[in-house]
Amino acid sequence: SDKGEMHFGSGDAASIPAWLPSYPGSAPDGTYSARTPDGDTGGYSFETNDGADEVASYYRRELEGAGFSIETSGKQSAGSTTIANLIASSGGKKVTVAATQEGGSTRVVIGYESK
């Protein structure tokens, strides 16, 4: 519409902003994005055999290296489940990372916005 556009898909890495680090060996299996006069927002998810801590450490290192400040980060464990997350920002950009490890697999959900 004249107020913006929204896209949903699966595996469409082309819709992920170039400024957002891509986790090594990952392939998005679900994406969404919205563009409005106020900016862009979106997200995607993927699975990896790496642990939640390893995923969060990668994004912390890459985002800090790109000039982002880490606003919050944390880790929780209960039984065989570990959740690691972080929120980072730089100027009008913001990234959220949530990695949930259960057994030998980790589901990662990335959200982003750019104003």
Side-chain angles (χ1 to χ4, degrees), residues 2-101:
D2 62 344
K3 296 188 192 299
E5 57 186 66
M6 183 166 236
H7 299 273
F8 294 92
S10 61
D12 184 10
S15 67
I16 298 169
W19 56 264
L20 189 58
S22 178
Y23 193 75
S26 70
D29 57 17
T31 63
Y32 69 92
S33 62
R35 175 169 285 160
T36 70
D38 294 329
D40 299 335
T41 61
Y44 64 98
S45 61
F46 63 89
E47 279 198 41
T48 180
N49 291 328
D50 296 338
D53 284 339
E54 187 174 346
V55 172
S57 292
Y58 169 83
Y59 279 101
R60 173 185 283 276
R61 186 173 56 253
E62 292 295 311
L63 290 167
E64 285 180 329
F68 281 73
S69 297
I70 304 302
E71 294 179 12
T72 62
S73 67
K75 175 183 163 184
Q76 300 173 355
S77 294
S80 63
T81 301
T82 299
I83 300 170
N85 57 52
L86 66 88
I87 298 172
S89 64
S90 175
K93 298 175 184 172
K94 188 171 194 174
V95 179
T96 61
V97 177
T100 304
Q101 179 181 350

